[in-house]
Amino acid sequence: LMIGLWFACWWIGRTPLTASTARKFTAWVGGGASAALVGWAAFTAISPSVHELPWQPFTPQRLADAQSKGKTILLDFTADWCWTCKVNERLVLSQGAVRQRFTELDVALVKADWTNRNAEITQLLRAFGRSGVPLYVIFPAGRPDSPLILPEVITAELVLKKLEEAAAVAGEIPR
C-alpha cells in the first residue's frame, strides 16, 4: 500500500504546476487509480482464506488438554496487526498440502492472538525467547518437552519438514 501511495505521489508530483488541466487531471486519475489498485491487491492478498483452518483460541488449559490427549500441536502466536503473520497464514498454512498434513497427523491448531498484548501470551513468548509475533511452535504428540520452533517467515516445505520431525519424535509417521 505504501509503495502504491509513493507511486501515486511521484506520478502527481512530476506534473508541473504549469501543465494543462488535462495533463494534471490525467496525473491525478492515474496516480489515484494506481494507489487504489495496489491497495486493493495488498489487502486482497491478506484477506481470510475461503478455507479457514480450524483454529482454537489459546488458553493454558486448552494447550494442556491437547498435550494430555497426546496430540501434536501447532501453536501460532499472531496478531491482527501483524503483516507477516497474515501473509504466512494465507500463503503457507492455508496451502492444500499443509492443510492435508495437519489433518493426517491430527494436529491441534491453537492460535495465541496477541493483538491486545495478552499477559499470558506475552509470558509464553518470552519463555521461547521472543519479544513479539509471529512465532510458530510445534509440540510433538506425547513430547511437550521437545518443541520445534519455526522462524518468523515460513514456507510450506519448512512446515511440512517440521511436522515430519514432530511425527518422528512422537514415534508415529502416518503416510
Side-chain angles (χ1 to χ4, degrees), residues 75 77 123-130 135 137 139 147-149:
L75 181 56
F77 292 85
Q123 183 178 6
L124 199 50
L125 279 166
R126 288 186 182 144
F128 284 108
R130 298 290 177 88
L135 172 62
V137 181
F139 294 94
L148 303 172
I149 300 173

Side-chain angles (χ1 to χ4, degrees), residues 11-12 15-30:
W11 190 344
I12 294 165
T15 306
L17 292 174
T18 58
S20 69
T21 305
R23 187 167 172 205
K24 289 178 188 175
F25 179 76
T26 301
W28 277 94
V29 170

Side-chain angles (χ1 to χ4, degrees), residues 1-2 7 13-14 35 41 47 53 60 70 80 89 114 125 139 145 170:
L1 179 60
M2 294 303 292
F7 183 75
R14 72 183 184 97
S47 66
L53 290 164
D80 285 344
E89 186 172 336
W114 201 51
L125 279 166
F139 294 94
D145 57 328

Side-chain angles (χ1 to χ4, degrees), residues 141-161:
R143 299 289 306 271
D145 57 328
S146 304
L148 303 172
I149 300 173
L150 283 68
E152 291 178 11
V153 177
I154 56 176
T155 64
E157 294 77 22
L158 176 65
V159 172
L160 293 170
K161 178 182 173 210

